[in-house]
Amino acid sequence: MNNVIRAVKGTHDLYGEQLRAHKHITDTARRVLESAGAIEVHTPIFEETQVFEKSVGASTDIVRKEMYTFSDRGGRHLTLRPEGTAGLLRAYIERGMKVWPTPVRLWTSGPMFRAENVQRGRQRQFHQVDYEVLGLESALIDAETIELMVAILRELGLESLKVRLGSVGDPEDRLRYNHYLRELLSPVQQRLSDDSRDRLTLNPMRILDSKNQGDREVLADIGVRPMLDFLGPAAMAHFEEVKELLEQFAVPFEVDPSIVRGLDYYIRTAFEVQHDRIGARSALGGGGRYDGLSETLGGPRVPAVGFAFGIERLLIAMQEDNLPTPSGYVLDLYLIPLDAEAVTETAIIASKLRPTLHVESAFSPKRPGKGLQEASKRGARFAGLLGKEEQKRGVLAIKNLETGEQADMRLEQVVGFVSGRQV
Ligand code: AMP
């Protein structure tokens, strides 16, 4: 088995219970988000690299180290999407969605790609659900967006959730904060990692969410004032309003004065939702407001707010809370040909009963005992036996594998019997 080709590190094949669980999460998100008027959009899995460079930001870990970027045969610079917002916004601008009734609510789900250190809850191909509301500046939309994310998690049965809320201010507030950080950190820059020394010039705020242990120690040593201390009056008023509205929506939250999200495009509201038993450094998801992003991508000014959560992280949280994932495919009927002549006939009967019933048929003749064993192994609810005698009389011998009851019946009667609608 040494030469077996394996899946790339940090990627997974999804099937069986895992795949069902993924679908359960996306279906739940779909129900909640579409009941609030969101429209599903599937954007391409790769985009021009500049879509992410311009939006996620040149100083972020994602752009500096984690993107799967390549040139195609035509020499185009392309990147496998590391997150969903940039692509959704590119689509919003390109497809003229600005003229749709405001606000425009979009959602998507699917695989994202980041070349990260692989560990529990951190993969290189992972899956996100993304939701974005475009067109409104009101704090009400921020609060509603957070409420919708919490509603999805609650609908899935998750408990022990914590919403951490902060604000990254307006661009001018961030300029002041970055200035403060530069002055504070320049004298100790020799102790910072190479990346963080670069960030000191590019965007010092990014140092605050560095994953480097040494950086974290420096930050703890010198005691950094939080972004919230630097909010101007407009951003502060917006923040106060979001807090008040969340109370009215009955969404419990904690103010986290130091919250900085890993992407450059946020302004004002920034939030993360974490699960008590998974911990702070691996949030289930988060989001915030990003009014300037559309212009960065060459579009009109469009206020916007949104969130993303990771499906794999949610699954870990659901396991921690012992939540069941839905059961899967149920085989209604397993057809067993008792001799060679019946093999084709059972396959044809199966095709006639689908898709009303889930039906499989054996492809070689079986003895009744062996056939019934196979039916049970597959988890079938009923077995249908077809031998010479049954063929002559135009019936199937249908056996209920739970009760052991057995009856001969014509094809027209089978659907009613198996689906419980009686003969
Ligand atoms: P972000 O886009 O970085 O704000 O991430 C939003 C959410 O996506 C996180 O809270 C995680 O749930 C999930 N996520 C991000 N990166 C990964 C990864 N490498 N592996 C698994 N999930 C991830």
Side-chain angles (χ1 to χ4, degrees):
M1 293 281 278
N2 277 345
N3 294 331
V4 169
I5 299 175
R6 292 175 194 282
V8 174
K9 186 176 171 189
T11 70
H12 293 269
D13 300 307
L14 283 176
Y15 55 94
E17 197 184 335
Q18 282 283 323
L19 183 58
R20 278 200 299 278
H22 271 240
K23 283 193 173 145
H24 173 56
I25 291 175
T26 11
D27 288 348
T28 307
R30 171 178 290 111
R31 241 188 359 262
V32 173
L33 295 175
E34 295 190 352
S35 72
I39 290 162
E40 185 169 10
V41 177
H42 286 200
T43 61
I45 277 169
F46 57 89
E47 300 266 359
E48 295 222 20
T49 299
Q50 56 168 340
V51 169
F52 306 111
E53 270 176 2
K54 285 191 168 160
S55 57
V56 176
S59 65
T60 57
D61 271 354
I62 294 181
V63 170
R64 289 171 69 82
K65 292 189 276 190
E66 295 172 358
M67 293 205 306
Y68 285 98
T69 294
F70 57 97
S71 297
D72 74 359
R73 286 163 203 263
R76 293 173 200 91
H77 294 293
L78 305 174
T79 293
L80 296 184
R81 62 183 185 192
E83 56 95 60
T85 306
L88 277 177
L89 211 59
R90 197 261 317 125
Y92 171 90
I93 298 164
E94 190 176 347
R95 309 297 163 198
M97 297 181 195
K98 192 169 166 34
V99 301
W100 293 7
T102 303
V104 174
R105 300 166 194 275
L106 306 177
W107 81 280
T108 195
S109 67
M112 307 291 159
F113 307 85
R114 295 183 196 174
E116 293 202 73
N117 285 331
V118 177
Q119 48 186 277
R120 188 172 186 237
R122 211 171 277 286
Q123 300 172 191
R124 295 191 172 164
Q125 175 173 335
F126 60 99
H127 298 77
Q128 277 188 343
V129 167
D130 270 272
Y131 168 71
E132 321 289 345
V133 197
L134 300 118
L136 289 182
E137 260 171 81
S138 155
L140 186 54
I141 289 288
D142 303 43
E144 190 204 69
T145 301
I146 297 172
E147 192 278 331
L148 276 172
M149 173 155 166
V150 171
I152 296 172
L153 303 180
R154 283 189 180 148
E155 184 79 8
L156 286 164
L158 281 166
E159 289 166 6
S160 348
L161 299 172
K162 197 179 281 167
V163 176
R164 288 162 52 231
L165 179 72
S167 172
V168 293
D170 283 321
E172 58 275 18
D173 305 334
R174 290 168 66 155
L175 275 179
R176 278 189 290 129
Y177 191 48
N178 273 332
H179 177 74
Y180 156 78
L181 289 175
R182 234 173 245 129
E183 298 223 310
L184 184 75
L185 293 170
S186 293
V188 291
Q189 58 175 295
Q190 290 319 317
R191 290 175 61 199
L192 293 173
S193 64
D194 290 348
D195 280 334
S196 285
R197 266 200 301 279
D198 286 351
R199 292 180 182 122
L200 210 49
T201 330
L202 284 170
N203 185 357
M205 264 178 87
R206 285 278 74 82
I207 300 173
L208 303 184
D209 59 7
S210 164
K211 292 176 196 141
N212 179 285
Q213 191 54 34
D215 289 347
R216 305 220 61 78
E217 279 163 21
V218 175
L219 293 172
D221 282 356
I222 58 175
V224 182
R225 284 171 66 201
M227 176 70 227
L228 264 193
D229 282 4
F230 289 76
L231 295 196
M236 187 50 99
H238 187 92
F239 182 54
E240 291 300 327
E241 217 182 318
V242 174
K243 289 195 293 185
E244 238 174 77
L245 288 162
L246 278 178
E247 270 163 26
Q248 292 186 42
F249 274 113
V251 174
F253 65 93
E254 268 173 29
V255 170
D256 180 343
S258 61
I259 202 160
V260 279
R261 304 262 312 134
L263 312 157
D264 269 359
Y265 50 61
Y266 288 105
I267 69 153
R268 299 194 173 180
T269 307
F271 69 94
E272 285 191 349
V273 181
Q274 75 188 49
H275 184 270
D276 274 354
R277 281 192 288 277
I278 304 192
R281 290 207 63 74
S282 26
L284 297 182
R289 179 165 278 284
Y290 53 93
D291 296 354
L293 180 56
S294 172
E295 282 164 299
T296 312
L297 291 174
R301 187 184 146 69
V302 182
V305 56
F307 66 70
F309 61 77
I311 294 182
E312 286 81 0
R313 291 271 172 92
L314 241 60
L315 283 175
I316 296 176
M318 287 171 73
Q319 271 164 13
E320 293 285 342
D321 280 357
N322 290 319
L323 295 173
T325 47
S327 53
Y329 173 72
V330 175
L331 182 59
D332 294 315
L333 178 63
Y334 186 64
L335 295 176
I336 304 157
L338 298 179
D339 53 45
E341 291 78 70
V343 171
T344 310
E345 186 63 20
T346 51
I348 291 170
I349 293 174
S351 80
K352 284 184 180 154
L353 293 173
R354 285 190 293 257
T356 317
L357 297 178
H358 292 185
V359 190
E360 289 179 43
S361 70
F363 283 88
S364 60
K366 314 271 170 205
R367 287 175 199 285
K370 182 85 174 57
L372 291 172
Q373 252 177 24
E374 282 191 11
S376 300
K377 234 191 250 173
R378 289 173 151 79
R381 295 168 51 236
F382 290 84
L385 300 133
L386 185 68
K388 283 211 172 42
E389 184 58 25
E390 287 79 15
Q391 278 187 304
K392 214 185 300 162
R393 293 174 36 224
V395 295
L396 276 166
I398 300 286
K399 188 177 176 92
N400 181 328
L401 294 171
E402 266 166 45
T403 63
E405 241 180 300
Q406 186 168 331
D408 289 345
M409 57 187 69
R410 302 190 156 279
L411 192 55
E412 312 84 75
Q413 299 171 297
V414 173
V415 172
F417 187 71
V418 169
S419 59
R421 276 182 264 120
Q422 266 325 319
V423 233

